[in-house]
Amino acid sequence: MIDVTDELRKYKIIKEGEAEILMHSNNTVFFNKAQVYNRDMSIAVLRSYIAKRKEEHDAYLSKKGKSEKKDIQPNQSLDVTEDISKECIKTPFWKDPRELKAPRVLEALAASGLRALRYAREVDGIGQVIALDNDKESIEACNRNIKFNGSIACSKVEAHLADARIYKLTHQKEFDVVDLDPYGSPSIFLDTAVQSVADGGILMCTATDMAVLCGDNGEVCHSKYGSYPLKGKYCHEMALRILLACIESHANRYKRYIVPILSVYMDFYVRVFVRIFTSASAIKDTPLKLSYVYQGVGCDSFHLQSLGRAINKDNSVKSAPGYGPVVPQECSDCGKKFNMAGPIWSAPMHDKEWICSILVNVKASKERYPACEKISAVLTTISEELYDIPLFVSLHNLCSTLKCTSPSAVMFRSAVINAGYRISGSHVNPLGLKTNAPMDVIWDIMRCWVKNHPIKAQPPDKSGTVILSKEPKLQANFAQAVASLSKAQVKKEVSEWFSWPRRNEASEAVADEMAEHSSHKGHATKRQKSGHMSTSQS
């Protein structure tokens, strides 16, 4: 008979939140400790989703009750029932007169099962959690960890050895939450993922192939995500918007569309949280949410070209192709050509109400989040972003183009605000500035700055020389504006450090991934040849 104590000596107990997993000394199942931020953020979103879901269901029942009371007349009960049935079809399937069931969760790529266990143990009101992996050792580890976490885990979490794509395809619209956290690109899982999410449910998706999404391999990005990227200071936000556009594209094929809740860049990956709904009419608006990007080769100027536009005709709104081109052959600022990228998601990639709700929850329950400090900082900065402004300019890039000293961020923000425009920071880049000011206004502000802070003469063919050769039409006012400081800065909170991982933290995370990838290279290749891809970072 095997001694349990001797058996446990082969394992190291890793605790995160309320869950514990047994990590074998051989480390055959991948565990990424750097993803604690990812898991904490996901739990925060899940808690808000469950509360929001209950509110929506109660509101629907209240509205339905009032409708029945108001409209039911003698000899009209059949018609009203038909009307209510039609209304039910347009709403998420869980919005019905019956009791609201606990949300079902699918973790498509489970590995050790830590993420699934944390969901089951830490999210109040969560229902069944299905943990999938096509690696036998991972499922064995997952089952072992489920038993190790006690009765709650055993009653809620199930582990299955299966190809995630086939499983999702055979369980369409069955899960309120689907979590995708693969090693590398999620692109091969997206088509089945958008089909497996119930109406009104959430798809949570991570992409770690940042080199591809940020422009190092544009042709690979186009083949995986259907969009061409650009290198630039805003490349990580563009990565988020490319991923959102890709998910929307897959959803549209099944008369479905997405509503982003939260889109975040952290450490070495991007992660998006989107709700999915079904509506044949709503998907006609998708071209209004997508744009191409034109980036000046010699400067920081960029311009967006919408794929579509809405026109009012015969008391109805019709879709039409977008007007264009929005730029000439040569950049009016630097005189050089444009690089073109896209299409990207150009509609808001966050929901302000959700962000505030999630942030309040995190701050009220700090002890429940191992990475509370960091995710609070992320959410605080996101809550202050201009949601309706795609991409951003980099103050240091502007100054680099002109070869001038840089004004402080407060001075630059003040000049933009004093000119009558809005401006905010970006969670993606501490130096990024999101603004609705057009590029000619941005450059006029910089021209005024250079006039007060002269620079050395530059060669005439340089982009900066061409830009500064024009007289500013706007006289910039650098006097400090009240709104030039973010709320976090006013409260002396540090909220912009997080986007750049500490050197040791980042190098460890990358080293962990590289080591794991190297040690399992032969195994992963074998999986690819057999058509199975389900290596997870959990």
Side-chain angles (χ1 to χ4, degrees):
M1 187 173 179
I2 299 174
D3 189 343
V4 176
T5 305
D6 291 339
E7 188 68 20
L8 285 175
R9 285 174 185 165
K10 299 177 183 178
Y11 298 93
K12 176 184 177 183
I13 298 176
I14 297 175
K15 181 176 175 61
E16 184 180 293
E18 295 180 18
E20 294 179 330
I21 61 170
L22 297 169
M23 183 58 62
H24 198 279
S25 56
N26 294 335
N27 195 26
T28 53
V29 178
F30 186 39
F31 164 70
N32 192 342
K33 62 182 180 182
Q35 291 288 70
V36 60
Y37 310 121
N38 185 317
R39 292 185 280 270
D40 268 14
M41 188 73 80
S42 302
I43 288 170
V45 172
L46 263 182
R47 285 174 176 151
S48 290
Y49 170 64
I50 289 175
K52 183 75 172 177
R53 185 172 177 265
K54 179 69 167 61
E55 288 175 10
E56 290 176 349
H57 187 260
D58 291 344
Y60 172 73
L61 292 182
S62 176
K63 181 180 177 181
K64 178 176 173 291
K66 289 179 181 179
S67 175
E68 287 179 331
K69 186 175 181 180
K70 179 180 178 181
D71 296 333
I72 292 181
Q73 302 292 336
N75 303 322
Q76 288 186 336
S77 58
L78 181 61
D79 294 337
V80 173
T81 304
E82 289 176 355
D83 290 341
I84 293 170
S85 297
K86 290 177 181 177
E87 188 177 1
C88 288
I89 293 172
K90 295 179 182 178
T91 56
F93 82 95
W94 43 263
K95 291 184 177 179
D96 58 41
R98 294 168 295 180
E99 183 181 354
L100 185 64
K101 294 181 180 179
R104 297 183 71 212
V105 180
L106 174 66
E107 189 194 356
L109 311 164
S112 65
L114 175 59
R115 187 184 297 265
L117 290 167
R118 288 197 63 189
Y119 289 167
R121 296 197 59 170
E122 297 180 39
V123 182
D124 297 332
I126 203 74
Q128 185 185 39
V129 182
I130 302 296
L132 299 181
D133 207 293
N134 74 331
D135 178 47
K136 188 176 179 181
E137 289 184 359
S138 294
I139 292 301
E140 288 174 355
C142 196
N143 280 318
R144 183 166 54 245
N145 291 327
I146 291 171
K147 293 177 182 178
F148 188 69
N149 277 267
S151 59
I152 294 178
C154 291
S155 65
K156 289 189 175 183
V157 185
E158 294 181 14
H160 296 282
L161 180 65
D163 186 309
R165 294 167 296 179
I166 296 174
Y167 191 91
K168 287 181 291 181
L169 193 61
T170 54
H171 294 76
Q172 296 186 24
K173 294 188 178 182
E174 288 191 16
F175 295 97
D176 302 287
V177 180
V178 173
D179 193 325
L180 285 178
D181 187 31
Y183 177 88
S185 173
S187 59
I188 63 170
F189 302 106
L190 292 178
D191 197 75
T192 52
V194 297
Q195 297 181 68
S196 62
V197 180
D199 276 356
I202 291 184
L203 172 62
M204 307 189 291
C205 181
T206 303
T208 62
D209 53 336
M210 299 307 295
V212 170
L213 284 165
C214 292
D216 282 347
N217 303 98
E219 68 285 358
V220 177
C221 183
H222 187 269
S223 67
K224 289 185 176 181
Y225 297 97
S227 184
Y228 209 95
L230 275 177
K231 288 185 177 180
K233 289 296 182 182
Y234 53 65
C235 64
H236 294 109
E237 181 177 328
M238 180 173 275
L240 283 166
R241 294 183 179 277
I242 287 174
L243 180 56
L244 288 171
C246 183
I247 296 173
E248 173 79 350
S249 174
H250 283 285
N252 285 173
R253 295 165 198 174
Y254 306 99
K255 298 181 181 180
R256 314 193 84 187
Y257 66 98
I258 68 170
V259 177
I261 295 171
L262 170 65
S263 306
V264 61
Y265 163 64
M266 293 174 72
D267 295 340
F268 54 91
Y269 60 88
V270 290
R271 184 158 172 85
V272 299
F273 302 82
V274 302
R275 296 187 75 180
I276 295 182
F277 297 92
T278 303
S279 172
S281 59
I283 64 173
K284 295 177 182 178
D285 294 332
T286 292
L288 306 177
K289 306 171 188 175
L290 303 175
S291 295
Y292 285 98
V293 181
Y294 293 92
Q295 171 73 58
V297 172
C299 65
D300 213 37
S301 299
F302 67 87
H303 307 269
L304 271 70
Q305 166 73 66
S306 178
L307 264 68
R309 59 189 170 91
I311 55 175
N312 293 317
K313 186 176 181 181
D314 299 330
N315 296 323
S316 63
V317 179
K318 302 288 185 181
S319 298
Y323 281 133
V326 294
V327 294
Q329 284 291 308
E330 295 179 346
C331 178
S332 57
D333 296 313
C334 67
K336 297 188 177 180
K337 297 288 186 181
F338 286 98
N339 282 326
M340 183 178 170
I344 66 168
W345 180 268
S346 52
M349 60 179 190
H350 309 297
D351 184 302
K352 190 170 185 177
E353 183 184 341
W354 276 78
I355 301 300
C356 293
S357 173
I358 296 167
L359 184 57
V360 168
N361 174 274
V362 170
K363 288 186 174 181
S365 309
K366 292 181 179 180
E367 70 285 350
R368 301 185 71 183
Y369 297 96
C372 175
E373 182 182 354
K374 184 164 184 174
I375 65 172
S376 292
V378 175
L379 291 168
T380 298
T381 305
I382 290 176
S383 70
E384 298 174 2
E385 281 187 10
L386 292 177
Y387 290 4
D388 57 335
I389 306 298
L391 309 182
F392 56 83
V393 295
S394 167
L395 183 55
H396 284 197
N397 260 30
L398 297 174
C399 295
S400 176
T401 300
L402 301 180
K403 309 300 180 187
C404 68
T405 58
S406 175
S408 68
V410 172
M411 292 181 70
F412 185 82
R413 287 187 185 205
S414 297
V416 172
I417 293 168
N418 291 333
Y421 297 95
R422 297 177 294 141
I423 190 168
S424 77
S426 168
H427 85 277
V428 167
N429 188 325
L431 304 176
L433 296 169
K434 301 175 79 70
T435 177
N436 65 334
M439 288 308 305
D440 56 347
V441 171
I442 298 295
W443 287 120
D444 273 354
I445 291 172
M446 294 307 299
R447 291 184 185 105
C448 293
W449 171 260
V450 172
K451 279 192 173 185
N452 297 326
H453 301 80
I455 61 172
K456 294 180 180 178
Q458 300 293 322
D461 59 333
K462 293 292 184 181
S463 299
T465 306
V466 175
I467 292 170
L468 293 174
S469 66
K470 301 172 185 177
E471 283 295 316
K473 297 177 182 178
L474 168 77
Q475 292 304 312
N477 177 8
F478 291 97
Q480 183 170 337
V482 176
S484 61
L485 290 172
S486 69
K487 293 177 183 177
Q489 289 173 320
V490 171
K491 295 177 183 178
K492 299 186 183 298
E493 293 179 3
V494 179
S495 63
E496 295 187 4
W497 60 273
F498 55 85
S499 287
W500 304 97
R502 296 184 180 92
R503 182 169 297 179
N504 291 342
E505 213 173 69
S507 59
E508 284 177 12
V510 173
D512 285 347
E513 289 217 347
M514 292 293 288
E516 180 65 22
H517 182 57
S518 176
S519 65
H520 292 285
K521 189 174 181 181
H523 187 50
T525 304
K526 191 181 294 183
R527 288 190 199 177
Q528 288 182 21
K529 288 180 179 178
S530 63
H532 294 279
M533 292 283 289
S534 60
T535 305
S536 171
Q537 299 189 64
S538 295

